[in-house]
Every structure is written in structure tokens, then in C-alpha cells.
Amino acid sequence: MGDLRKARHSTSLPLKMMWKHRRLISSLVVLSFAAGCFHFAGYVSFFFRAIQYTNELAENPKPVAIHHNRQGRNESVACVIETSLGDACHGLGFGALVLRAIDDITTCLARGFVPTVIWTDCDYCGPPGNGQNYWTWYFEGMNEDIVQQAKTRVCMAPSRFPFSGPSPYLTRTGATGELIDCRFADLENKMTDYQPITAEIRALANHVISGYLQPAARIKTAVDTFYQSFMADSINIGVHVRLQSSHAEEMTFFDQTAPELQDFVQVVQRLINDINAKNEGREIRIYLASDLDEVIKEFKSNFGNNRVLHIDAFRGESLVDDRTFEGSPNLVGDQVFTDILLMSKCDYFVHDESNIASVTYYYNSNLKSYYVSGDASDFRRLNAQPRFDSEELFRQAVARETRNIILPDWKHDSLWAGLKVRVSLLWGFLFTDVKGYSDDLKCFYKNVKWSKCRREFLRSKFASDSDMKELMGL
């Protein structure tokens, strides 16, 4: 009985304590409930803001926001490219970010505006939340003062998805997408809406790079020092090998098959034999950029430690492992950009499909491509000379962009056009990567505080074609 009384007493003790502190407990319960409601309200608020933003963004091809600066004195239109504001905030590689910037800079120039690029928070930017422009971490500053001085600034949309206007780089009838979508392969028989890379695309991109994507001084010094120390007196073969599983999945999306490591080795060996036949006695060096240590080991095993060059960089260990990196994003960006610039300084370039390869190919218009998955027709196309000089190619880009702008505003044409947009958007939310949409929107709301058109973007106040025509003087 004594044990039973003790058990009852020990059971009632917590109840007495709870009753004694009932007011405190009640307050904690109310606060917890209020916090939960507040948290839920935050999700609801974000959901409705996301719906508004996504809906408005879908209504206008290649949307932009126009901000009028009353204190401005410069009559030029500032064209602000905030690549990291939307879908490029995360998940895109460094090469993809650069290709997006080249495309947008070209669009701004073709419209007659003065471009400047801002990277705030992205996978290859620096510490988030301080509003610093990380574009100048990698590249020389570009027209930074124009943002404050111009009476009018145009901010490129944080995303061109889901209904992009044609890029000024697209010349094939029916082609869609942007410069980032151009492929080394000609996919005409597989995907007719994709544009193959041509000599003209390469020349125009190189023209823009020469004027607007010069490396920052510290990057240039590091690249020049490495080149003079190890490559200056040699015939150099640049090799870019990307074989991790994520890249194979990307290739599958385009109905392409990723090559094997030995395919790269064989192409390099044939190229070395050809060079030796024509340049007997010349030293040949291989500058290798890869995401895997296993690739470095294989190349050194086949061609020798002294012949294979590479920088110290973060890589995965083997073909079966995807790399993970938790360090400074600036460090990874530095390594990738250094690889791009050193490969672009080579005489020959062995590569397959990748954005890094595309940027390298555009940086040096004389670099000879050896596209591993290509055939003879690809080789001729990729190493052809453009039919027009860069100035004429730019004039043609201006004409294409002007034609795109002067098309009637389709959103005003009919209710059917608007209905198609919303059905397509709903289809995307229901049957594609919903998390991708959500992540893009979160990036937008995280970074929009640094936008030069913050008020316009938050109000979903996008320019119409008539607004753009007025700014372009059409």
C-alpha cells in the first residue's frame, strides 16, 4: 500500500506543479500558437506574392522594369543586368552565369542602352546580404556610375522563364532560348528549336567579351603568371573534361550521350600525333581542366606528369562521386574562371558539351575546336570563319532585336493568348520541378532588396513593348 501511495503521489506532483504555474504555461501555449500562426501567415503571404510575381512575369516576353531617376542628369538609358536576382541565383554553374551575362549585355547594346552587370547573392558570389557587386570580383567594372547618373534605368528581368523573347544570338528560323541554350552539336534532327553554335555566334560573343568581360586585374595577373611559367614556349592543348553524373543527366535531357574518359584520351593522342608530324621537336603541353581527380591521374598516366598541367582546384575523387563544396563560393569561381582563361590561351581545344567549354571557345575566336562528340560537319562548322566582321554581326543583332521589339504586344491581342500563358504556367507547376519554381522565387525575394528597380519588381510593374519602343526611339 505504501508503494501505491508513493506512486500516486509522484504522479500527482507534476500535475500540481503545472497547476501552480498554469498562467505561465497558458502564456507559453498562446505564444506558441501565435508563433505558429505567424509562421503560417508568412507562408501564405509568400505564396500569394509568388503567384502575383510569377503571373505578371509570364505576361510579358523578356520583361524589364523601367525606373525613372529624378536626380539623374545623364540622358543615356542605363541597362542594369542583375543576373543573380532570379533563376540564376542558385543551381547554375559559373559558365552559365557568364553566358547569361553575355546574352543580356548584347541585348542591352542592341537596344541602344548602356549596360552594367550586378551579381549580389549566387552560388559563385561572395558572402550574401551586404549588397556588394560580385561581378567586379571577377571582371573589370563596367559603367557602374551610369546607374546613379542616368535619368532612366532599365533593369533586365530576374528571369526570362517561362516565355522568353528571342535572343539576339538566334539566327535559325524557329530557334528559341538564349545563348546558354546554343549547343556545339547540331540537333536539327532531334530538337529543331535549338540553335547550333556557329562562327557568327562565336564572333559576336567574342566582340562583346572583348569590350565588356575583361578579367579583373588579380585574375589576369594569376593567369599570365601561370602561362609564362609553364606554357609560353610550348604548343598547348586545352582539354576540358566533365564526366560527373549530373552532367550526364543534362546531356540526356538534350538527347545526347556523354563521352567516356577514353574518348578524350584518344582525341588528344591523335592530335599530339598530328602536331608532332608538322612541328617536330616542339614541346607539347596539355592544360587539363576537369571536375575529377581520376581524370587528372588518367591523363598523367597516358601523357606524363610533366606534360599535363593543371591548377590546384577542388575536384571530386572519382567518376562515381559528385563533388560537394562548402567553402567560399569566390574560391570555386576563381578556379573555374582561371581554367577558362588558361584554356582559351591554348592553340587547340579538346572538349565536349558544357557551358565552360562554350565560354572558353568564345573568349578566343582563333582557338581550334576538337569537339569530342562531333563529326566532320561539326568540325567544319565550329572552326569556320564568320561570313561577316564583328561590326556587321552587331548591326544584324540590332536589326533582330528591333524586329522583336516592334512586334505587337501579344498580351493585348486576345484573351486566348493570355489563357495559353496561364495554362502553360499551371502545367509547369503541376508536372515539372515545383521546388525549382519555389527556389527561384525565394532567391528573388532574398535578393530584390539590392535591385536597382526594387519598387518596380515588387509591384510587378513591367514594361510593355510600347514602353521599350519609346526608349529605343522606334
Side-chain angles (χ1 to χ4, degrees):
M1 289 292 292
D3 292 341
L4 182 59
R5 282 195 296 270
K6 288 181 182 178
R8 288 176 177 173
H9 178 72
S10 62
T11 303
S12 63
L13 184 60
L15 295 175
K16 290 181 178 179
M17 292 293 293
M18 291 175 64
W19 179 253
K20 181 179 179 181
H21 299 287
R22 62 187 181 278
R23 292 183 177 178
L24 175 61
I25 293 172
S26 298
S27 298
L28 291 174
V29 170
V30 171
L31 287 173
S32 298
F33 179 76
C37 291
F38 182 79
H39 192 63
F40 178 74
Y43 273 112
V44 172
S45 174
F46 172 78
F47 175 78
F48 280 106
R49 282 185 297 161
I51 289 292
Q52 178 193 19
Y53 165 66
T54 308
N55 182 60
E56 293 295 330
L57 183 58
E59 287 187 355
N60 199 344
K62 199 184 288 186
V64 298
I66 299 176
H67 178 85
H68 297 288
N69 179 19
R70 295 178 180 178
Q71 285 72 42
R73 295 292 181 268
N74 195 317
E75 297 295 335
S76 299
V77 176
C79 192
V80 186
I81 300 163
E82 300 172 309
T83 321
S84 61
L85 195 60
D87 62 345
C89 171
H90 72 101
L92 285 185
F94 183 82
L97 280 173
V98 173
L99 290 173
R100 284 276 181 88
I102 295 171
D103 201 316
D104 285 343
I105 291 170
T106 309
T107 299
C108 291
L109 293 171
R111 292 176 176 177
F113 305 155
V114 180
T116 189
V117 183
I118 297 174
W119 286 355
T120 48
D121 183 13
C122 62
D123 285 351
Y124 293 88
C125 299
N130 60 8
Q132 181 176 337
N133 182 9
Y134 290 106
W135 172 265
T136 58
W137 177 260
Y138 300 105
F139 303 94
E140 290 183 357
M142 176 175 47
N143 302 318
E144 294 175 280
D145 294 338
I146 192 68
V147 176
Q148 302 304 326
Q149 295 173 357
K151 289 183 178 181
T152 304
R153 74 177 68 124
V154 168
C155 296
M156 301 291 286
S159 172
R160 296 182 180 183
F161 185 84
F163 294 97
S164 300
S167 165
Y169 284 91
L170 301 185
T171 57
R172 172 177 283 183
T173 302
T176 60
E178 306 169 64
L179 181 63
I180 192 175
D181 298 311
C182 296
R183 312 293 286 181
F184 284 103
D186 189 343
L187 303 176
E188 184 175 12
N189 295 325
K190 297 179 180 179
M191 306 175 78
T192 56
D193 55 345
Y194 278 83
Q195 170 82 44
I197 294 174
T198 62
E200 288 72 31
I201 287 177
R202 183 186 196 182
L204 180 57
N206 179 261
H207 177 66
V208 174
I209 287 171
S210 299
Y212 295 91
L213 282 89
Q214 291 303 302
R218 62 182 188 83
I219 296 281
K220 187 176 186 302
T221 298
V223 169
D224 289 345
T225 299
F226 188 99
Y227 181 84
Q228 292 299 326
S229 300
F230 304 107
M231 302 167 65
D233 298 323
S234 307
I235 296 176
N236 298 297
I237 303 172
V239 183
H240 181 252
V241 182
R242 187 182 173 199
L243 295 177
Q244 288 188 324
S245 59
S246 57
H247 181 59
E249 293 171 2
E250 178 186 335
M251 296 285 285
T252 302
F253 175 81
F254 288 94
D255 199 20
Q256 294 177 275
T257 302
E260 303 291 335
L261 176 54
Q262 286 304 313
D263 295 328
F264 288 90
V265 172
Q266 291 170 8
V267 171
V268 171
Q269 185 59 68
R270 289 197 298 268
L271 180 54
I272 288 175
N273 293 340
D274 292 342
I275 294 172
N276 279 330
K278 299 175 183 177
N279 301 273
E280 186 176 356
R282 288 289 303 277
E283 181 69 30
I284 299 174
R285 295 290 178 88
I286 299 168
Y287 183 82
L288 178 59
S290 178
D291 51 5
L292 295 169
D293 287 333
E294 185 175 328
V295 173
I296 303 289
K297 294 176 183 177
E298 182 67 19
F299 265 74
K300 287 186 175 181
S301 174
N302 280 273
F303 303 109
N305 289 340
N306 294 331
R307 176 173 276 180
V308 178
L309 307 172
H310 59 87
I311 61 171
D312 291 331
F314 179 78
R315 301 180 179 90
E317 294 182 0
S318 70
L319 296 176
V320 297
D321 297 324
D322 276 333
R323 61 180 180 174
T324 57
F325 182 75
E326 298 179 354
S328 167
N330 304 71
L331 177 59
V332 179
D334 283 354
Q335 293 169 357
V336 175
F337 195 25
T338 300
D339 274 341
I340 288 172
L341 295 174
L342 285 170
M343 287 190 294
S344 73
K345 284 179 170 290
C346 293
D347 304 287
Y348 306 92
F349 185 34
V350 177
H351 63 93
D352 206 68
E353 295 282 6
S354 85
N355 293 321
I356 297 298
S358 297
V359 177
T360 302
Y361 177 79
Y362 296 146
Y363 253 91
N364 180 359
S365 56
N366 295 315
L367 184 61
K368 195 168 186 179
S369 165
Y370 283 78
Y371 170 43
V372 172
S373 295
D375 55 24
S377 63
D378 293 320
F379 185 87
R380 288 192 297 270
R381 170 173 49 83
L382 295 172
N383 293 291
Q385 291 299 312
R387 293 167 293 170
F388 310 100
D389 63 26
S390 58
E391 295 295 334
E392 173 59 25
L393 289 170
F394 180 71
R395 284 192 288 270
Q396 293 175 12
V398 171
R400 286 192 295 273
E401 187 64 25
T402 302
R403 287 196 299 271
N404 295 337
I405 290 294
I406 65 175
L407 290 172
D409 283 349
W410 63 265
K411 68 176 183 178
H412 298 307
D413 284 350
S414 66
L415 293 176
W416 173 242
L419 179 62
K420 286 194 295 184
V421 170
R422 284 159 179 77
V423 169
S424 298
L425 188 63
L426 180 61
W427 183 272
F429 272 111
L430 293 177
F431 299 105
T432 60
D433 182 10
V434 177
K435 184 178 184 300
Y437 285 97
S438 175
D439 289 344
D440 292 346
L441 292 168
K442 287 179 181 178
C443 278
F444 169 74
Y445 284 111
K446 178 178 64 174
N447 283 342
V448 73
K449 68 181 71 173
W450 311 114
S451 172
K452 301 304 178 183
C453 296
R454 178 177 179 271
R455 288 176 297 174
E456 289 78 11
F457 279 136
L458 286 177
R459 295 172 183 171
S460 298
K461 194 174 181 180
F462 294 103
S464 66
D465 283 354
S466 58
D467 296 329
M468 294 304 301
K469 287 190 288 185
E470 182 178 351
L471 286 179
M472 294 173 63
L474 299 177

